[in-house]
């Protein structure tokens, strides 16, 4: 990971290794402390690995959610604005599967949104 603390050109302010080649990076506030951490999704296994600190080390939490080869997303699905969680998008069906807990288990929200084959993007669009 190479992270920059401003929106100006320049080198990363923080650099560290977390994950390995072929993983899909994620960012989110996994513990509700108001600061984002990092994570990665292993597309071969469907396992999410999340870390609260911006440094090298083991995952804070690891769990399988959904089948392999999906497109991971991160956001605040519970609507509390406190803690982010993960989900995945199935580009073949256009379905989103979101879980509001950082653990293995069923999706807490399932929804179809838009056509198939799109690239999902999660965010807080309308304020807290």
């Amino acid at each position: 990971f190479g992270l920059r603390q401003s929106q100006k050109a320049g080198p990363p302010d923080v650099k560290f290794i977390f994950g390995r080649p072929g993983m899909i990076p994620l960012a989110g506030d996994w513990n509700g402390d108001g600061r984002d951490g990092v994570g990665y999704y292993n597309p071969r296994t469907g396992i999410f690995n999340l870390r609260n600190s911006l440094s090298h080390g083991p995952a804070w939490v690891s769990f399988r959610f959904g089948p392999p080869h999906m497109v991971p997303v991160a956001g605040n699905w519970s609507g509390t604005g406190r803690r982010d969680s993960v989900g995945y998008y199935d580009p073949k069906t256009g379905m989103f599967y979101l879980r509001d807990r950082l653990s293995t288990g069923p999706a807490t929200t399932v929804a179809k949104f838009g056509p198939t084959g799109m690239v999902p993007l999660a965010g807080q669009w309308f304020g807290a």
Side-chain angles (χ1 to χ4, degrees):
F1 282 86
L3 308 174
R4 183 137 173 88
Q5 298 293 329
S6 72
Q7 296 179 7
K8 298 177 184 175
D13 296 310
V14 178
K15 288 172 60 173
F16 57 94
I17 295 172
F18 180 60
R20 60 187 189 276
M23 303 297 106
I24 299 171
L26 298 165
D29 182 358
W30 313 127
N31 63 359
D33 68 357
R35 302 178 83 165
D36 283 352
V38 296
Y40 65 87
Y41 169 79
N42 184 332
R44 293 184 322 145
T45 63
I47 294 177
F48 288 86
N49 295 278
L50 310 175
R51 184 162 170 76
N52 287 320
S53 63
L54 302 179
S55 62
H56 178 75
W60 172 63
V61 64
S62 296
F63 58 95
R64 181 185 315 273
F65 177 57
H69 305 293
M70 295 292 116
V71 180
V73 293
N76 180 255
W77 317 132
S78 66
T80 64
R82 293 184 41 118
R83 181 181 56 78
D84 292 334
S85 190
V86 299
Y88 65 89
Y89 169 74
D90 184 342
K92 292 180 182 173
T93 64
M95 297 293 291
F96 284 85
Y97 299 84
L98 311 174
R99 182 154 170 81
D100 62 9
R101 293 173 203 77
L102 297 174
S103 63
T104 299
T108 51
T109 302
V110 177
K112 181 166 178 48
F113 181 74
T116 61
M118 298 290 105
V119 175
L121 178 66
Q124 186 173 339
W125 311 123
F126 300 106

Short mmCIF file of all heavy atoms in Angstrom, two decimals, residues 54-94:
data_model
loop_
_atom_site.label_atom_id
_atom_site.label_comp_id
_atom_site.label_asym_id
_atom_site.label_seq_id
_atom_site.Cartn_x
_atom_site.Cartn_y
_atom_site.Cartn_z
N LEU A 54 -2.34 1.28 9.68
CA LEU A 54 -1.71 1.48 8.37
C LEU A 54 -0.25 1.07 8.47
O LEU A 54 0.67 1.88 8.39
CB LEU A 54 -1.84 2.94 7.95
CG LEU A 54 -3.28 3.46 7.86
CD1 LEU A 54 -3.28 4.92 7.46
CD2 LEU A 54 -4.12 2.62 6.93
N SER A 55 -0.05 -0.24 8.65
CA SER A 55 1.29 -0.78 8.82
C SER A 55 1.30 -2.25 8.43
O SER A 55 0.25 -2.89 8.31
CB SER A 55 1.74 -0.64 10.27
OG SER A 55 0.88 -1.38 11.13
N HIS A 56 2.49 -2.78 8.27
CA HIS A 56 2.67 -4.20 7.99
C HIS A 56 2.27 -5.02 9.22
O HIS A 56 2.47 -4.57 10.35
CB HIS A 56 4.14 -4.47 7.63
CG HIS A 56 4.43 -5.90 7.36
ND1 HIS A 56 4.05 -6.52 6.20
CD2 HIS A 56 5.04 -6.83 8.11
CE1 HIS A 56 4.42 -7.79 6.25
NE2 HIS A 56 5.04 -8.00 7.40
N GLY A 57 1.72 -6.19 9.01
CA GLY A 57 1.37 -7.07 10.12
C GLY A 57 0.22 -7.97 9.75
O GLY A 57 -0.26 -7.96 8.63
N PRO A 58 -0.25 -8.75 10.71
CA PRO A 58 -1.34 -9.68 10.44
C PRO A 58 -2.68 -8.96 10.35
O PRO A 58 -2.85 -7.84 10.81
CB PRO A 58 -1.32 -10.62 11.65
CG PRO A 58 -0.77 -9.78 12.75
CD PRO A 58 0.23 -8.87 12.09
N ALA A 59 -3.64 -9.63 9.74
CA ALA A 59 -5.00 -9.11 9.65
C ALA A 59 -5.61 -9.03 11.04
O ALA A 59 -5.37 -9.89 11.89
CB ALA A 59 -5.85 -9.99 8.75
N TRP A 60 -6.39 -8.01 11.29
CA TRP A 60 -7.15 -7.87 12.54
C TRP A 60 -8.27 -8.90 12.54
O TRP A 60 -8.58 -9.49 13.56
CB TRP A 60 -7.69 -6.45 12.63
CG TRP A 60 -8.63 -6.18 13.75
CD1 TRP A 60 -8.36 -6.26 15.08
CD2 TRP A 60 -9.99 -5.77 13.66
NE1 TRP A 60 -9.46 -5.92 15.82
CE2 TRP A 60 -10.49 -5.61 14.94
CE3 TRP A 60 -10.83 -5.51 12.57
CZ2 TRP A 60 -11.80 -5.23 15.21
CZ3 TRP A 60 -12.13 -5.12 12.83
CH2 TRP A 60 -12.59 -4.99 14.15
N VAL A 61 -8.88 -9.09 11.38
CA VAL A 61 -9.93 -10.09 11.23
C VAL A 61 -9.88 -10.66 9.82
O VAL A 61 -9.57 -9.94 8.86
CB VAL A 61 -11.33 -9.48 11.55
CG1 VAL A 61 -11.70 -8.40 10.55
CG2 VAL A 61 -12.41 -10.53 11.60
N SER A 62 -10.12 -11.96 9.70
CA SER A 62 -10.18 -12.65 8.41
C SER A 62 -11.41 -13.53 8.40
O SER A 62 -11.69 -14.22 9.39
CB SER A 62 -8.95 -13.54 8.19
OG SER A 62 -7.78 -12.77 8.12
N PHE A 63 -12.14 -13.52 7.30
CA PHE A 63 -13.34 -14.35 7.20
C PHE A 63 -13.74 -14.51 5.74
O PHE A 63 -13.42 -13.69 4.90
CB PHE A 63 -14.50 -13.75 8.01
CG PHE A 63 -14.87 -12.35 7.58
CD1 PHE A 63 -15.88 -12.13 6.66
CD2 PHE A 63 -14.20 -11.26 8.09
CE1 PHE A 63 -16.21 -10.85 6.27
CE2 PHE A 63 -14.52 -9.98 7.71
CZ PHE A 63 -15.54 -9.77 6.78
N ARG A 64 -14.43 -15.60 5.48
CA ARG A 64 -14.97 -15.86 4.14
C ARG A 64 -16.39 -15.31 4.09
O ARG A 64 -17.18 -15.54 4.99
CB ARG A 64 -14.99 -17.36 3.85
CG ARG A 64 -15.52 -17.70 2.46
CD ARG A 64 -15.64 -19.21 2.25
NE ARG A 64 -14.48 -19.93 2.71
CZ ARG A 64 -13.38 -20.17 1.99
NH1 ARG A 64 -13.29 -19.72 0.76
NH2 ARG A 64 -12.38 -20.84 2.50
N PHE A 65 -16.67 -14.59 3.01
CA PHE A 65 -18.03 -14.11 2.79
C PHE A 65 -18.33 -14.23 1.31
O PHE A 65 -17.74 -13.55 0.48
CB PHE A 65 -18.19 -12.66 3.26
CG PHE A 65 -19.56 -12.10 2.98
CD1 PHE A 65 -20.70 -12.73 3.45
CD2 PHE A 65 -19.71 -10.96 2.22
CE1 PHE A 65 -21.96 -12.23 3.18
CE2 PHE A 65 -20.96 -10.45 1.95
CZ PHE A 65 -22.08 -11.08 2.43
N GLY A 66 -19.22 -15.13 0.98
CA GLY A 66 -19.63 -15.34 -0.40
C GLY A 66 -18.70 -16.26 -1.16
O GLY A 66 -17.68 -16.72 -0.65
N PRO A 67 -19.06 -16.50 -2.41
CA PRO A 67 -18.24 -17.39 -3.24
C PRO A 67 -17.01 -16.66 -3.76
O PRO A 67 -16.94 -15.43 -3.72
CB PRO A 67 -19.19 -17.74 -4.39
CG PRO A 67 -20.11 -16.57 -4.50
CD PRO A 67 -20.28 -16.05 -3.09
N PRO A 68 -16.04 -17.40 -4.26
CA PRO A 68 -14.87 -16.74 -4.86
C PRO A 68 -15.23 -16.03 -6.17
O PRO A 68 -16.31 -16.23 -6.71
CB PRO A 68 -13.90 -17.90 -5.12
CG PRO A 68 -14.63 -19.15 -4.87
CD PRO A 68 -15.93 -18.83 -4.23
N HIS A 69 -14.31 -15.21 -6.62
CA HIS A 69 -14.38 -14.52 -7.92
C HIS A 69 -15.52 -13.51 -8.01
O HIS A 69 -16.08 -13.29 -9.08
CB HIS A 69 -14.44 -15.52 -9.07
CG HIS A 69 -13.30 -16.48 -9.04
ND1 HIS A 69 -11.99 -16.09 -9.27
CD2 HIS A 69 -13.26 -17.81 -8.76
CE1 HIS A 69 -11.21 -17.14 -9.16
NE2 HIS A 69 -11.94 -18.19 -8.84
N MET A 70 -15.84 -12.87 -6.90
CA MET A 70 -16.81 -11.78 -6.89
C MET A 70 -16.06 -10.45 -6.86
O MET A 70 -14.84 -10.42 -6.76
CB MET A 70 -17.75 -11.89 -5.69
CG MET A 70 -18.64 -13.12 -5.71
SD MET A 70 -19.87 -13.06 -7.03
CE MET A 70 -19.39 -14.44 -8.03
N VAL A 71 -16.77 -9.34 -6.90
CA VAL A 71 -16.16 -8.01 -6.84
C VAL A 71 -16.44 -7.44 -5.45
O VAL A 71 -17.61 -7.19 -5.10
CB VAL A 71 -16.73 -7.09 -7.93
CG1 VAL A 71 -16.11 -5.71 -7.85
CG2 VAL A 71 -16.53 -7.71 -9.31
N PRO A 72 -15.41 -7.23 -4.61
CA PRO A 72 -15.64 -6.77 -3.24
C PRO A 72 -16.00 -5.29 -3.18
O PRO A 72 -15.58 -4.49 -4.03
CB PRO A 72 -14.29 -7.02 -2.57
CG PRO A 72 -13.30 -6.87 -3.67
CD PRO A 72 -13.99 -7.42 -4.90
N VAL A 73 -16.79 -4.93 -2.16
CA VAL A 73 -17.13 -3.53 -1.87
C VAL A 73 -17.04 -3.35 -0.36
O VAL A 73 -17.18 -4.31 0.41
CB VAL A 73 -18.53 -3.12 -2.39
CG1 VAL A 73 -18.57 -3.11 -3.90
CG2 VAL A 73 -19.60 -4.04 -1.84
N ALA A 74 -16.82 -2.11 0.07
CA ALA A 74 -16.78 -1.79 1.50
C ALA A 74 -17.61 -0.54 1.74
O ALA A 74 -17.61 0.38 0.92
CB ALA A 74 -15.35 -1.56 1.97
N GLY A 75 -18.33 -0.51 2.86
CA GLY A 75 -19.15 0.65 3.20
C GLY A 75 -19.89 0.43 4.50
O GLY A 75 -19.77 -0.61 5.14
N ASN A 76 -20.68 1.42 4.88
CA ASN A 76 -21.47 1.35 6.11
C ASN A 76 -22.88 0.90 5.75
O ASN A 76 -23.74 1.70 5.43
CB ASN A 76 -21.48 2.72 6.81
CG ASN A 76 -22.29 2.67 8.08
OD1 ASN A 76 -23.40 3.17 8.13
ND2 ASN A 76 -21.75 2.06 9.10
N TRP A 77 -23.12 -0.40 5.78
CA TRP A 77 -24.41 -0.96 5.34
C TRP A 77 -25.48 -0.84 6.41
O TRP A 77 -26.66 -0.87 6.10
CB TRP A 77 -24.26 -2.42 4.95
CG TRP A 77 -23.06 -2.75 4.14
CD1 TRP A 77 -22.18 -3.77 4.37
CD2 TRP A 77 -22.58 -2.10 2.96
NE1 TRP A 77 -21.19 -3.78 3.41
CE2 TRP A 77 -21.42 -2.76 2.54
CE3 TRP A 77 -23.02 -0.99 2.21
CZ2 TRP A 77 -20.69 -2.39 1.41
CZ3 TRP A 77 -22.28 -0.62 1.10
CH2 TRP A 77 -21.15 -1.30 0.71
N SER A 78 -25.11 -0.72 7.68
CA SER A 78 -26.11 -0.69 8.75
C SER A 78 -26.76 0.69 8.89
O SER A 78 -27.77 0.83 9.56
CB SER A 78 -25.48 -1.10 10.08
OG SER A 78 -24.53 -0.13 10.48
N GLY A 79 -26.16 1.72 8.28
CA GLY A 79 -26.71 3.07 8.37
C GLY A 79 -26.36 3.80 9.65
O GLY A 79 -26.84 4.90 9.88
N THR A 80 -25.52 3.22 10.48
CA THR A 80 -25.16 3.88 11.74
C THR A 80 -24.11 4.96 11.55
O THR A 80 -23.96 5.83 12.39
CB THR A 80 -24.60 2.85 12.75
OG1 THR A 80 -23.39 2.30 12.23
CG2 THR A 80 -25.61 1.75 13.03
N GLY A 81 -23.34 4.87 10.45
CA GLY A 81 -22.26 5.81 10.22
C GLY A 81 -21.06 5.58 11.12
O GLY A 81 -20.16 6.39 11.18
N ARG A 82 -21.04 4.47 11.84
CA ARG A 82 -19.97 4.21 12.80
C ARG A 82 -18.91 3.25 12.29
O ARG A 82 -17.74 3.46 12.49
CB ARG A 82 -20.56 3.66 14.09
CG ARG A 82 -21.41 4.65 14.83
CD ARG A 82 -21.86 4.05 16.14
NE ARG A 82 -20.78 3.32 16.75
CZ ARG A 82 -20.23 3.60 17.91
NH1 ARG A 82 -20.69 4.59 18.61
NH2 ARG A 82 -19.24 2.89 18.39
N ARG A 83 -19.31 2.15 11.70
CA ARG A 83 -18.36 1.10 11.35
C ARG A 83 -18.68 0.58 9.95
O ARG A 83 -19.83 0.34 9.62
CB ARG A 83 -18.47 -0.04 12.36
CG ARG A 83 -17.52 -1.17 12.14
CD ARG A 83 -17.70 -2.28 13.16
NE ARG A 83 -19.04 -2.83 13.24
CZ ARG A 83 -19.56 -3.70 12.37
NH1 ARG A 83 -18.87 -4.09 11.33
NH2 ARG A 83 -20.77 -4.16 12.54
N ASP A 84 -17.63 0.41 9.16
CA ASP A 84 -17.81 -0.14 7.82
C ASP A 84 -17.77 -1.66 7.86
O ASP A 84 -17.26 -2.26 8.80
CB ASP A 84 -16.70 0.36 6.88
CG ASP A 84 -16.82 1.84 6.60
OD1 ASP A 84 -17.94 2.38 6.68
OD2 ASP A 84 -15.79 2.46 6.30
N SER A 85 -18.30 -2.25 6.82
CA SER A 85 -18.25 -3.69 6.66
C SER A 85 -18.03 -3.97 5.18
O SER A 85 -17.76 -3.06 4.40
CB SER A 85 -19.54 -4.34 7.18
OG SER A 85 -19.38 -5.75 7.22
N VAL A 86 -18.15 -5.21 4.79
CA VAL A 86 -17.87 -5.59 3.40
C VAL A 86 -19.10 -6.20 2.74
O VAL A 86 -20.08 -6.54 3.38
CB VAL A 86 -16.68 -6.58 3.33
CG1 VAL A 86 -15.42 -5.95 3.88
CG2 VAL A 86 -17.00 -7.88 4.03
N GLY A 87 -18.97 -6.35 1.46
CA GLY A 87 -19.98 -7.00 0.65
C GLY A 87 -19.34 -7.40 -0.66
O GLY A 87 -18.14 -7.19 -0.87
N TYR A 88 -20.16 -7.94 -1.54
CA TYR A 88 -19.65 -8.25 -2.87
C TYR A 88 -20.74 -8.06 -3.90
O TYR A 88 -21.94 -8.07 -3.60
CB TYR A 88 -19.05 -9.66 -2.95
CG TYR A 88 -20.03 -10.79 -2.74
CD1 TYR A 88 -20.73 -11.36 -3.81
CD2 TYR A 88 -20.25 -11.32 -1.48
CE1 TYR A 88 -21.62 -12.40 -3.62
CE2 TYR A 88 -21.13 -12.37 -1.28
CZ TYR A 88 -21.81 -12.90 -2.35
OH TYR A 88 -22.70 -13.93 -2.16
N TYR A 89 -20.29 -7.83 -5.12
CA TYR A 89 -21.15 -7.64 -6.28
C TYR A 89 -20.90 -8.79 -7.23
O TYR A 89 -19.75 -9.13 -7.50
CB TYR A 89 -20.81 -6.30 -6.93
CG TYR A 89 -21.42 -6.07 -8.29
CD1 TYR A 89 -22.77 -5.78 -8.43
CD2 TYR A 89 -20.63 -6.11 -9.43
CE1 TYR A 89 -23.32 -5.55 -9.68
CE2 TYR A 89 -21.18 -5.88 -10.69
CZ TYR A 89 -22.52 -5.61 -10.80
OH TYR A 89 -23.07 -5.38 -12.03
N ASP A 90 -21.98 -9.38 -7.75
CA ASP A 90 -21.88 -10.44 -8.74
C ASP A 90 -22.13 -9.82 -10.11
O ASP A 90 -23.26 -9.47 -10.44
CB ASP A 90 -22.89 -11.54 -8.45
CG ASP A 90 -22.78 -12.72 -9.40
OD1 ASP A 90 -22.16 -12.58 -10.49
OD2 ASP A 90 -23.32 -13.79 -9.07
N PRO A 91 -21.07 -9.61 -10.91
CA PRO A 91 -21.26 -8.93 -12.20
C PRO A 91 -22.11 -9.72 -13.20
O PRO A 91 -22.66 -9.13 -14.12
CB PRO A 91 -19.83 -8.74 -12.72
CG PRO A 91 -19.00 -9.72 -11.99
CD PRO A 91 -19.68 -9.97 -10.67
N LYS A 92 -22.26 -11.01 -13.00
CA LYS A 92 -23.09 -11.82 -13.91
C LYS A 92 -24.58 -11.59 -13.68
O LYS A 92 -25.38 -11.73 -14.60
CB LYS A 92 -22.75 -13.30 -13.76
CG LYS A 92 -21.37 -13.64 -14.25
CD LYS A 92 -21.08 -15.11 -14.09
CE LYS A 92 -19.67 -15.41 -14.54
NZ LYS A 92 -19.28 -16.78 -14.24
N THR A 93 -24.96 -11.27 -12.44
CA THR A 93 -26.37 -11.10 -12.11
C THR A 93 -26.76 -9.67 -11.77
O THR A 93 -27.94 -9.34 -11.72
CB THR A 93 -26.77 -11.99 -10.92
OG1 THR A 93 -26.05 -11.55 -9.76
CG2 THR A 93 -26.47 -13.46 -11.20
N GLY A 94 -25.76 -8.81 -11.48
CA GLY A 94 -26.05 -7.44 -11.05
C GLY A 94 -26.53 -7.36 -9.61
O GLY A 94 -27.05 -6.34 -9.18
#
